[in-house]
Amino acid sequence: MNLPLVHIVTLNWNGLEDTLECLASIRKLTYPNLRVQVIDNASENNEAEIIEREFPEVNVLRQKENVGFCGGCNAGMKQAMSEGADFVMLLNNDTFVSPNLIEMLLDGYEKLENPGAVSPVIFKHPE
């Protein structure tokens, strides 16, 4: 059985600390057919390079200028679709994910009749 290819797209714009913590939680995901991309919206201080160094498995797409949230998401989705993504997950860079998140979302998707989108429940991270 072929597992669907899932792409996670997250944006970074001068939010390196949040993005690194988000990627650390993504790294713990248990779903095996997954690609991760960070759209860097022209951040300062070489943030894209730092992300690439800390997370070499992540595809970092550098924007020449800050194209905003929608522009960054569109660039990420376009890239994901060009790479054959079956599903694209837009994830804010200040998010932490549970290790089995993708499996849970796909399971929920399969149980619904003709879903257009699925979303996880979001909890505030305990300080």
Side-chain angles (χ1 to χ4, degrees):
M1 173 162 117
N2 290 336
L3 293 174
L5 175 58
V6 176
H7 276 243
I8 296 178
V9 175
T10 190
L11 274 61
N12 180 66
W13 181 67
N14 299 326
L16 182 63
E17 184 177 328
D18 284 340
T19 301
L20 293 177
E21 289 178 357
C22 178
L23 292 173
S25 76
I26 290 171
R27 191 179 260 169
K28 296 175 185 173
L29 288 170
T30 57
Y31 188 75
N33 200 15
L34 180 70
R35 293 186 187 157
V36 180
Q37 25 192 38
V38 172
I39 311 305
D40 186 77
N41 259 339
S43 295
E44 300 171 354
N45 302 318
N46 299 315
E47 290 189 7
E49 289 178 22
I50 295 167
I51 294 166
E52 286 176 326
R53 184 178 63 241
E54 297 293 321
F55 294 89
E57 71 276 16
V58 170
N59 181 27
V60 178
L61 300 173
R62 292 179 169 95
Q63 301 299 307
K64 293 180 182 180
E65 62 183 357
N66 184 348
V67 295
F69 182 78
C70 290
C73 287
N74 286 340
M77 289 186 290
K78 182 178 179 180
Q79 181 68 31
M81 298 310 293
S82 75
E83 294 179 14
D86 296 302
F87 294 94
V88 178
M89 179 179 195
L90 300 177
L91 187 66
N92 287 354
N93 71 324
D94 62 349
T95 304
F96 301 95
V97 297
S98 301
N100 64 341
L101 173 66
I102 303 300
E103 290 92 342
M104 291 174 54
L105 288 172
L106 290 174
D107 183 55
Y109 178 87
E110 292 296 325
K111 291 177 181 175
L112 298 171
E113 184 178 326
N114 252 352
V118 293
S119 176
V121 174
I122 300 171
F123 295 98
K124 181 176 183 201
H125 188 272
E127 302 297 328

